[in-house]
Amino acid sequence: MSDAPELKTALSISGASCQGCAKKIRNALEPLTGSTELVGVDIEAQTVALPDGVDLAEAARVVTEAGYPAEPVATSEPASCCASKKASSCNSQSDNTGAPAKSAKEHAQAYEAADDDQVVLSVSGATCASCVDSIEKALLSVPGVTHGHMNLADNTATASGKAEPDALIKAVESAGYGASVIEDADAADDRRQAEDKKQYKVLLVKMAISLGLGLVLMVWGMGFDTMMVTEANQLTWINFGVLTLGVMIATGGHFFTGAWKAFKHHNANMDTLIALGTGTAWLYSMVVSSVPELLPEMARHVYFEASAMIIGLINLGQALELRAKGKTSEAVRRLLDLRAKTARVIRNGEEQDLPVEQVRKGDHIRVRPGEKLPVDGVIIEGSTRIDESMLTGEPMPVSKAKDDEVSAGTLNTHGSIIYEATRVGSETALAQIIKLVKKAQGSKPAIGRLADRISSVFVPTVMLVAIAAALVWYNVGPEPAVVHMMIAATTVLIIACPCALGLATPMSVMVGVGKAAEYGALIRQGDALQTAGKIDLVILDKTGTITEGHPAVTRITAVDSNATLLALAAGLERHSEHPLAEAVLNRAREDGVEPETVTDFEALNGKGVQGQFDGQRVRLGNRRWLEAEGIDVTNLDSAANTITEEAGTPLFLALGAKVLGVIGVADAIKPDSEAAIRRLHDAGIKVMMVTGDVDATAKAIAAKTGIDNYRAEVLPENKAEVVSEMRGKGYTVAMVGDGINDAPALAAADVGFAIGTGTDVAIESAAITLMRGSLHGVPDAIEISRATVTNIKQNLFGAFVYNTMGIPVAAGLLYPVWGILMSPILAGAAMSLSSVTVVSNANRLRLFKSSHSPAQQEERN
């Protein structure tokens, strides 16, 4: 380490609240430093340490763009990991950030605190990728905003940081769009859904009117001297022009008002292109109709039908798009539908049905068979089986009895129970899940930023191309040059609208995140959704991840009687508080064995426990201790070896000088861990286990489950070092742990998977939280990630290729060879079709099926 560059405090930052933030900052600075290891982030001090030679102005810019406002500071104080005042705990708790590692709960609190600093706005008037860019710039211009994001798929904008809602609304309005604060997200969803249905009908009516007029004009023109203006039909065409203007205002006025707003705010968007295209066609036609003598006879052609039909086709496209977009939020709506509207509350000895909003913590609630649970709580009376499939993805109902926790939104399938409310309203697991899913659906993966960069210059570029095409046709094109010039410019403007570009990423993200939620995987951020598909190494914690997380008796071998052996062992262990004692007692209860009465109990550290039974010394412990006491256990060698090979701990029981048998206690491997690891192998992913357990146990578990490699006797705080080591070897690493002791490793990984169940999911610290206790959630999430990223790439490819090919054709590239000049009407249809195609392709993700257990998936669906 002596050759490593010294890190010095270089930047002052704000807004970083947890190790996830630190990781994001390190990744952002990696191109400047060459390694994330050469970036020290002190969350407590809100500083970033860098080696000498790094351009601090550029570093500050990069960190600010990552969402954490940064400024260079002038100091020579070392700010490496161990230079802080808490250096003594650096090696064990810092994860190279200079800040102590946080527990899962602390991460969750920081996460929620950051969440509280977000303002979500409902935005109106946004139609394309250029609108998204303008709105995000407007949000970032507000002092105190550290991150601004616009989601075109659901027309919401999110601003993080310390900014007043009024200032954010004013900024969005100054950019030419409408905005209002979303106070109640659920109510806003319901309201938006109702508005979308209403808007869908309005668009269909507008489409019918404008297409109806366009078809009438087309038929009339084809039957009466085509579309050429003559002395005989001049007045008729002028009247048609006035009628077309009225229809354009009535059915497409929003395009023109949107374009005017954008112009006033020095912006250009989809509305700009449509307004220019249709307006140019109409204005040219009115000039031809009003003063035809100004143009050559061949150029006296009107295009009123084009203006009307383009607007009609775009309205049709937007209606179809709106209808298809509604399907993308199906997963969230299904979660919302899980909420019970009322609760049967027991107060003062009387049962009464109350709106769920009136339920308070501590209330006793009765739930009968077939009813949904209104809030989270703990059962105090009765037993039942509860269907938790929509929360955890598990298809089979789960048995619940007194003292078991239950969650809102789950379905009581059998018995009647009474439970005490512990979490109500927004605190319930279901509310937290809905919140996380919505937040993730609004996030933007790195792949989506490509569209952002292009959209910022796209519309102005298209306008320049249209002007260039017009000039070429006017100067070197065949007669009538004016007509060809107008057609080429209009067609370029219409076909190039970047609607599909703006929808390509958010539509797929919304569906992908929703689909993951159906499989019990909550994806917190778009970057995790994208990165999960690149994973080629999964590092697994052992306890609670591969194994059940609590010891259990796996094997009993008695010289005489199992019942006698277990009764004596339980009689000893009921005096002990050791986890192994609990395993023995649980097995005795399961087998209906009554513990014997043992006196003079004594626990011997590193040996076992002993006491008196029937005048003799009874001992339960390890082989070394019993042999030291002169007890021969060789007749149980085979049984003990079998227990060890199964990753268990053999406990020998002796009464006096005679050995009675051996009990195997182990943290049992989950029934489906081996199958889940096999799925990861089938996907081309290596699997490694990192555990604090002894080598023999780790080796046995690795062999039994098919794990490629393992590290044993690793302290929890050192797991992050293993993750960093593997990343340094070029792997894209996923860390899977319980989210408590593994928090530093989860943050250090490219993608952290926190594995847990029920209400625990809301307090996990990883980028992806698995609501089931099953490892199958990891390959499920990876498969969904790969499918989603593939879908995004298909959408982006389609949008880019469409514009790349469409614009040259619209400009007239095919005319010199085949004499083909695209009609503006065809351009309008193609433009609308492109958006509908992107949205429809994104909805294909709703058909995704996991590779795990087709029969089980059928049952689940």
Side-chain angles (χ1 to χ4, degrees):
M1 296 295 293
S2 59
D3 295 332
E6 182 185 26
L7 304 185
K8 297 180 179 179
T9 300
L11 304 176
S12 172
I13 60 173
S14 62
S17 58
C18 65
Q19 292 189 37
C21 302
K23 175 185 172 185
K24 189 174 180 181
I25 292 170
R26 292 197 303 274
N27 289 340
L29 289 168
E30 185 175 10
L32 297 180
T33 62
S35 171
T36 56
E37 302 296 329
L38 296 180
V39 180
V41 183
D42 190 328
I43 300 297
E44 184 177 355
Q46 291 288 287
T47 59
V48 176
L50 299 170
D52 289 334
V54 175
D55 186 333
L56 297 188
E58 179 65 12
R61 184 190 67 78
V62 167
V63 174
T64 300
E65 287 186 354
Y68 307 94
E71 295 180 357
V73 296
T75 177
S76 58
E77 289 295 323
S80 61
C81 176
C82 297
S84 71
K85 60 183 178 182
K86 296 188 178 182
S88 60
S89 63
C90 166
N91 291 333
S92 62
Q93 297 292 329
S94 69
D95 184 29
N96 298 325
T97 66
K102 298 179 180 180
S103 68
K105 188 171 184 179
E106 289 172 324
H107 273 273
Q109 290 169 345
Y111 180 83
E112 295 301 328
D115 221 28
D116 292 339
D117 290 336
Q118 289 186 341
V119 177
V120 182
L121 304 176
S122 175
V123 177
S124 60
T127 53
C128 66
S130 294
C131 300
V132 171
D133 182 68
S134 299
I135 291 168
E136 290 181 349
K137 286 180 178 177
L139 292 174
L140 290 171
S141 69
V142 178
V145 173
T146 58
H147 179 71
H149 169 61
M150 164 74 189
N151 187 346
L152 185 62
D154 63 1
N155 290 318
T156 61
T158 303
S160 302
K162 303 290 184 182
E164 292 297 323
D166 289 344
L168 297 171
I169 292 173
K170 186 175 180 180
V172 174
E173 290 176 343
S174 69
Y177 305 91
S180 60
V181 176
I182 296 178
E183 300 287 356
D184 185 335
D186 294 344
D189 284 339
D190 295 338
R191 186 167 57 251
R192 181 166 57 85
Q193 192 174 351
E195 290 174 353
D196 285 350
K197 289 181 179 179
K198 181 179 178 181
Q199 180 65 8
Y200 173 73
K201 294 178 181 178
V202 170
L203 287 171
L204 287 181
V205 171
K206 289 183 175 181
M207 175 273 298
I209 294 173
S210 50
L211 281 185
L213 175 63
L215 289 172
V216 168
L217 291 174
M218 186 178 292
V219 171
W220 192 88
M222 290 172 63
F224 298 92
D225 200 20
T226 68
M227 296 289 188
M228 303 300 292
V229 176
T230 63
E231 290 184 8
N233 63 21
Q234 181 180 3
L235 183 59
T236 301
W237 279 120
I238 290 175
N239 291 331
F240 271 134
V242 174
L243 178 61
T244 301
L245 177 62
V247 170
M248 289 171 65
I249 293 173
T251 64
H254 52 289
F255 299 128
F256 293 91
T257 55
W260 175 245
K261 286 180 181 178
F263 175 74
K264 286 198 302 182
H265 295 93
H266 312 291
N267 293 325
N269 56 21
M270 182 194 94
D271 292 339
T272 305
L273 300 182
I274 294 173
L276 284 174
T278 57
T280 299
W282 180 85
L283 185 61
Y284 175 83
S285 299
M286 281 303 293
V287 171
V288 170
S289 301
S290 303
V291 282
E293 62 274 8
L294 294 180
L295 298 167
E297 188 173 341
M298 290 179 61
R300 297 172 186 176
H301 191 291
V302 293
Y303 293 91
F304 292 128
E305 89 291 353
S307 296
M309 291 189 73
I310 287 170
I311 288 176
L313 289 169
I314 293 173
N315 281 330
L316 173 61
Q318 289 187 340
L320 295 175
E321 176 188 312
L322 199 61
R323 185 176 181 180
K325 280 168 67 175
K327 298 178 181 178
T328 61
S329 298
E330 182 176 330
V332 171
R333 285 202 297 273
R334 286 166 66 182
L335 287 172
L336 291 171
D337 290 341
L338 288 175
R339 298 173 301 178
K341 301 295 188 294
T342 61
R344 184 173 291 270
V345 179
I346 303 173
R347 288 181 183 169
N348 301 320
E350 295 184 0
E351 295 186 9
Q352 51 184 316
D353 289 328
L354 297 176
V356 70
E357 294 81 9
Q358 296 181 19
V359 177
R360 302 189 297 265
K361 289 182 182 179
D363 276 342
H364 289 184
I365 302 167
R366 182 184 295 279
V367 182
R368 295 167 294 191
E371 294 181 339
K372 293 177 182 176
L373 278 68
V375 296
D376 293 359
V378 177
I379 295 177
I380 58 176
E381 183 181 317
S383 62
T384 186
R385 293 179 66 82
I386 292 182
D387 181 356
E388 299 179 331
S389 58
M390 275 305 293
L391 286 180
T392 67
E394 294 284 6
M396 300 301 294
V398 180
S399 296
K400 298 285 186 179
K402 186 178 179 181
D403 297 330
D404 285 339
E405 292 188 357
V406 290
S407 299
T410 55
L411 180 67
N412 182 27
T413 62
H414 284 77
S416 176
I417 58 172
I418 296 176
Y419 74 99
E420 181 178 330
T422 56
R423 298 184 185 91
V424 299
S426 61
E427 297 177 350
T428 66
L430 179 59
Q432 291 296 318
I433 289 166
I434 293 171
K435 182 179 181 181
L436 289 175
V437 171
K438 285 182 177 180
K439 181 175 180 180
Q441 285 185 330
S443 63
K444 184 181 296 183
I447 192 172
R449 295 175 194 131
L450 174 63
D452 292 348
R453 290 193 292 271
I454 292 175
S455 65
S456 63
V457 296
F458 186 79
V459 172
T461 301
V462 168
M463 293 172 67
L464 291 175
V465 171
I467 293 171
L471 291 174
V472 170
W473 276 103
Y474 184 77
N475 288 289
V476 300
E479 291 296 335
V482 176
V483 172
H484 290 146
M485 174 188 72
M486 191 275 300
I487 292 175
T490 300
T491 307
V492 167
L493 291 171
I494 296 300
I495 202 169
C497 291
C499 312
L501 197 61
L503 293 168
T505 301
M507 295 303 297
S508 297
V509 169
M510 287 184 71
V511 181
V513 168
K515 179 59 67 173
E518 290 180 18
Y519 279 83
L522 295 187
I523 299 174
R524 290 178 177 268
Q525 51 196 250
D527 282 340
L529 179 66
Q530 179 179 345
T531 307
K534 302 175 183 177
I535 291 167
D536 50 17
L537 174 65
V538 171
I539 297 178
L540 303 175
D541 174 45
K542 179 183 76 69
T543 305
T545 302
I546 301 173
T547 65
E548 297 286 359
H550 52 82
V553 173
T554 57
R555 185 178 293 271
I556 299 176
T557 303
V559 174
D560 296 319
S561 165
N562 276 6
T564 301
L565 176 68
L566 192 55
L568 273 174
L572 264 174
E573 294 289 28
R574 68 179 174 180
H575 299 285
S576 173
E577 296 179 354
H578 195 280
L580 297 183
E582 186 66 25
V584 173
L585 289 169
N586 285 339
R587 180 59 179 267
R589 282 192 290 267
E590 291 170 7
D591 291 358
V593 174
E594 186 68 25
E596 295 286 3
T597 301
V598 177
T599 60
D600 298 332
F601 173 82
E602 183 181 7
L604 304 175
N605 190 30
K607 297 177 181 180
V609 294
Q610 64 181 4
Q612 291 290 329
F613 173 74
D614 200 18
Q616 297 186 73
R617 176 72 63 184
V618 58
R619 299 178 177 89
L620 179 67
N622 59 49
R623 179 188 189 122
R624 187 170 57 252
W625 175 43
L626 266 64
E627 287 181 337
E629 295 293 325
I631 300 170
D632 183 12
V633 298
T634 54
N635 59 329
L636 294 171
D637 280 350
S638 177
N641 289 338
T642 301
I643 292 170
T644 303
E645 289 170 0
E646 293 175 345
T649 300
L651 300 177
F652 294 88
L653 181 71
L655 182 62
K658 180 184 177 182
V659 65
L660 299 184
V662 63
I663 299 174
V665 180
D667 185 1
I669 296 172
K670 293 178 182 177
D672 55 3
S673 289
E674 183 180 356
I677 290 168
R678 187 163 54 248
R679 285 181 65 197
L680 292 171
H681 285 152
D682 291 343
I685 299 170
K686 291 185 177 181
V687 182
M688 179 181 185
M689 178 176 67
V690 178
T691 176
D693 213 335
V694 297
D695 187 81
T697 301
K699 182 178 181 180
I701 289 178
K704 190 170 181 63
T705 57
I707 289 173
D708 300 303
N709 190 15
Y710 71 90
R711 299 275 183 91
E713 302 178 32
V714 178
L715 295 175
E717 58 266 26
N718 293 333
K719 289 180 181 179
E721 297 175 9
V722 178
V723 172
S724 298
E725 177 189 336
M726 293 298 106
R727 290 186 67 200
K729 292 181 178 180
Y731 288 106
T732 300
V733 179
M735 175 67 198
V736 186
D738 62 11
I740 300 172
N741 292 329
D742 300 316
L746 290 169
D750 292 290
V751 180
F753 287 83
I755 195 163
T757 55
T759 55
D760 290 341
V761 74
I763 61 168
E764 296 293 357
S765 62
I768 300 177
T769 55
L770 305 178
M771 298 173 61
R772 291 184 286 164
S774 170
L775 268 181
H776 277 296
V778 178
D780 282 346
I782 291 173
E783 287 178 12
I784 292 170
S785 167
R786 291 179 175 178
T788 303
V789 171
T790 298
N791 195 269
I792 291 173
K793 289 179 178 177
Q794 291 169 348
N795 285 345
L796 289 174
F797 177 79
F800 287 143
V801 169
Y802 168 81
N803 283 311
T804 301
M805 296 179 61
I807 292 175
V809 171
L813 187 65
L814 302 181
Y815 191 87
V817 182
W818 290 292
I820 297 174
L821 186 59
M822 182 183 288
S823 164
I825 296 175
L826 181 61
M831 189 274 286
S832 296
L833 183 62
S834 68
S835 297
V836 175
T837 300
V838 163
V839 177
S840 300
N841 185 57
N843 272 299
R844 286 195 309 109
L845 282 172
R846 295 169 61 239
L847 306 177
F848 171 87
K849 301 289 183 185
S850 165
S851 64
H852 169 51
S853 183
Q856 195 177 75
Q857 287 306 316
E858 258 183 41
E859 188 173 0
R860 179 184 298 172
N861 296 324

